[in-house]
Amino acid sequence: MTGSARRRTGDSRYGERVPLVAAAVCPHPPLLVPEVAGSAAPELNDLRAACDTAVRRLLATDPDIVLLLGTGPVTGPIRTPATGSLQPWGVDLDVPLVPGQPDRGAVLPLSLTIGAWLLARHDGPPPVTAVQVAADAGPAELAALADDVGAAGDRVASLVLGDGSACRGEKAPGYDDARALPYDRGVAAALADADLDALLDLDPVVSAALKAAGRAPWQVLAGAARAAGGGWRGELLHDSAPYGVAYFVASWERV
């Protein structure tokens, strides 16, 4: 079915307009980039492959635009041109939001830098835009941003970047916290089932205590999916915590 034909069969709440049609959820550790990981790169081969699968599925939905969504210092859109850098992690590598743009422009936060890097691994993506959300964003801010996601284009596919808890063991960045494993299991189940309520119910205080960087982006995704209407099908492609930080990869599509 062509993109225009799919538009004509869209959710009746929006007439011919179907805002969010698909999503891919990926983590954003800088070690995903082999140049950063160095000799440890093979340790994340499975995670990297799962991210590639999720992005490939996202692009296969024939979106008009891909929206990158991840945590940043403030909430709002990032204007192009924009470029991220992996220099803080020891690699002289710039990652533009839109490949081939000549100017550095705005600075991408780590989450969107990794998102742009993941997207650039695939040929011929559609136009790309980016939105960052503050880690401590409240419900009203998240709801407004969810509306912005739906307004980004006629057929929006979102690549959502976010890590789970960082408290899975004594060597984890946030040390060991008994709440981390149950929290991550809940997130994994919600992403697998496209359970919007479960994601929207994530406690921001507990999430912050567990250093779960994905809480706000996941809740924006859930809000945008709810606004798009219809049913959603999710599949969890990866769930691990190799360095004490939970990494999830999921693929969502409307049904």
Side-chain angles (χ1 to χ4, degrees):
M1 186 182 295
T2 65
S4 59
R6 279 195 295 268
R7 291 187 192 94
R8 291 194 294 271
T9 61
D11 187 345
S12 60
R13 293 174 58 204
Y14 290 86
E16 295 184 355
R17 188 164 185 242
V18 181
L20 185 68
V21 296
V25 176
C26 295
H28 53 75
L31 289 175
L32 262 181
V33 180
E35 293 90 335
V36 175
S39 61
E43 296 177 7
L44 293 184
N45 279 348
D46 289 347
L47 175 59
R48 207 172 288 114
C51 290
D52 285 339
T53 296
V55 173
R56 187 163 53 248
R57 290 184 182 181
L58 187 78
L59 298 177
T61 63
D62 191 26
D64 294 322
I65 191 166
V66 173
L67 185 145
L68 301 186
L69 171 64
T71 53
V74 297
T75 296
I78 293 182
R79 306 299 181 188
T80 56
T83 304
S85 175
L86 292 170
Q87 287 183 349
W89 291 273
V91 174
D92 187 12
L93 177 64
D94 289 338
V95 183
L97 178 60
V98 179
Q101 285 189 334
D103 300 321
R104 292 184 58 86
V107 178
L108 295 176
L110 173 63
S111 64
L112 300 181
T113 298
I114 297 301
W117 180 83
L118 286 170
L119 197 59
R121 288 165 64 85
H122 300 264
D123 294 332
V128 180
T129 188
V131 174
Q132 60 182 338
V133 55
D136 60 353
E141 201 171 358
L142 297 176
L145 196 57
D147 290 340
D148 290 344
V149 171
D154 289 333
R155 289 179 55 81
V156 180
S158 184
L159 174 53
V160 181
L161 291 309
D163 299 344
S165 79
C167 300
R168 296 275 293 273
E170 294 182 358
K171 295 184 179 180
Y175 196 62
D176 188 45
D177 192 311
R179 298 172 294 177
L181 183 57
Y183 179 95
D184 290 332
R185 284 176 173 169
V187 171
L191 293 175
D193 297 335
D195 188 335
L196 309 185
D197 288 334
L199 291 176
L200 290 169
D201 285 344
L202 289 173
D203 188 318
V205 175
V206 173
S207 299
L210 296 176
K211 303 185 182 300
R215 190 273 305 180
W218 298 330
Q219 289 186 326
V220 173
L221 167 62
R226 174 159 291 170
W232 288 84
R233 178 173 56 240
E235 182 181 354
L236 189 67
L237 303 176
H238 187 90
D239 176 3
S240 68
Y243 308 119
V245 182
Y247 299 144
F248 310 111
V249 180
S251 180
W252 284 19
E253 60 181 7
R254 295 177 89 251
V255 293

